[in-house]
Amino acid sequence: MEAKDRLHTWLYGASPATYHLAEDAQDLSGRADPDTLCDFGSITNPYQKFFIYKYEEPSPDVLSLISGKGMYREIGRYSLRDPDIYSPLLQSVYQTLWPELTAQPFMRYKANGGYRIASDAMTSAMSRLSDALRISVSLTSAPDHADPGMIERIRAIYASCQKRAPKQKWWTMLMIALVTADLSETGREDDFYRMIDREYPAMAGFLSDCFTVGNYCPVPAGFNGPRSRWGRYDYWDLTLMKIREWYCNESGPDADRIFLKEQLLNNHPGSSPDNCRAWLTWFENKGALPQKDGWHSFVDTLLLQDYVDADYNVKPFWPGHSWRNPDLPEDREAVNRGLLTISIRIASRSARIISACRSRL
């Protein structure tokens, strides 16, 4: 399907604001029989959909710790890829809304014999889910309404993994893959989903919202990944706080570059402070809006108004959220309020993006 047709079909389809962009990134190339491809879009349970998308294949020795692969036996038939890189629809949205910006060399990188616009999922779903489950499962007693036997099984898997590799951080996607594989092998995955729902009622919506268009942004090459510090800072309110700080800092280009390298990009070896600086200064120069400075132009151009207040100060996702205090609260009610806040801001930005795209077609 041509890019313009794909964009039109999405914009005027049944629910563009809730469309899961991983559905647009399935790899259909090199398959003799496309009919063998599993339909990712037909999965309606948000947890199952997320876990299948994020699945990491455990090594054989770790896989031996659980009873079987369960719902992941056919994982290869989904052929899923990252929307940041492989969604033609997302690339079309970027080209439609920000053609001059995304044509800049610092916004592109080489891939598959051509060039793609660099992209970033603004707030990470994976890190938030891992942190929330770690809080629940590490409680002294099983969470309310949770099957104690299921909790003990999860703890047993965790203990086995920790014994196998004590220095590894296990509450990652690998741990969740092991848990969901083991529970689905015995038909208990729905118990796991219900436990998450009861502990974190906002989680299911959040996991789905993170893959909608409002949670994606065109960024310079060498930005996605480094700014998150392996997921801990992978919140868009924190990223915007640092970007605003950069715009308010008048310390010269050398200090600017050091600030971006050491603070926003966390000294990551794969980062590009020069691309990042070129991106931010573009909004002060060629991309500046009439009678607006770089920060206001950045926010308004990228349709980020729902992330700032009337004075363009960044609104934290929950009280006290900052670069000095980036982690989820330990209180589950506070976690739920934070997840709901993020979902609302993503949905609001999705609406802005859809409206802006329709006005340009």
Side-chain angles (χ1 to χ4, degrees), residues 53-185:
Y53 169 74
K54 292 294 290 185
Y55 179 72
E56 293 180 9
E57 182 71 20
S59 61
D61 64 320
V62 174
L63 197 58
S64 69
L65 300 174
I66 61 175
S67 56
K69 290 183 71 170
M71 67 182 186
Y72 300 116
R73 291 189 193 284
E74 302 293 328
I75 193 69
R77 293 180 57 206
Y78 286 97
S79 197
L80 296 171
R81 302 183 298 181
D82 188 350
D84 269 335
I85 303 170
Y86 294 106
S87 168
L89 172 60
L90 192 56
Q91 293 282 306
S92 294
V93 168
Y94 291 163
Q95 289 167 339
T96 299
L97 294 183
W98 304 291
E100 291 186 29
L101 171 64
T102 56
Q104 303 303 312
F106 56 81
M107 296 295 291
R108 292 177 174 258
Y109 65 96
K110 221 168 190 177
N112 298 334
Y115 287 88
R116 295 183 187 274
I117 301 164
S119 174
D120 197 359
M122 293 157 48
T123 296
S124 164
M126 181 61 244
S127 298
R128 311 298 73 82
L129 177 64
S130 292
D131 290 345
L133 292 178
R134 174 189 55 78
I135 292 168
S136 290
V137 175
S138 64
L139 295 174
T140 305
S141 57
D144 293 343
H145 310 295
D147 176 358
M150 180 190 67
I151 295 294
E152 287 309 310
R153 181 61 189 147
I154 295 173
R155 288 174 178 164
I157 294 171
Y158 185 88
S160 297
C161 292
Q162 201 171 39
K163 185 177 180 181
R164 184 68 58 93
K167 293 185 178 180
Q168 182 170 336
K169 182 182 177 183
W170 276 102
W171 263 119
T172 61
M173 192 56 226
L174 179 57
M175 176 64 190
I176 293 174
L178 290 171
V179 167
T180 49
D182 183 88
L183 294 175
S184 61
E185 181 72 15

Side-chain angles (χ1 to χ4, degrees), residues 277-278 280-289 292-294 297:
R277 188 174 189 279
L280 298 178
T281 55
W282 188 85
F283 294 96
E284 294 180 314
N285 301 307
K286 189 174 182 180
L289 298 176
K292 292 192 176 183
D293 61 14
S297 296

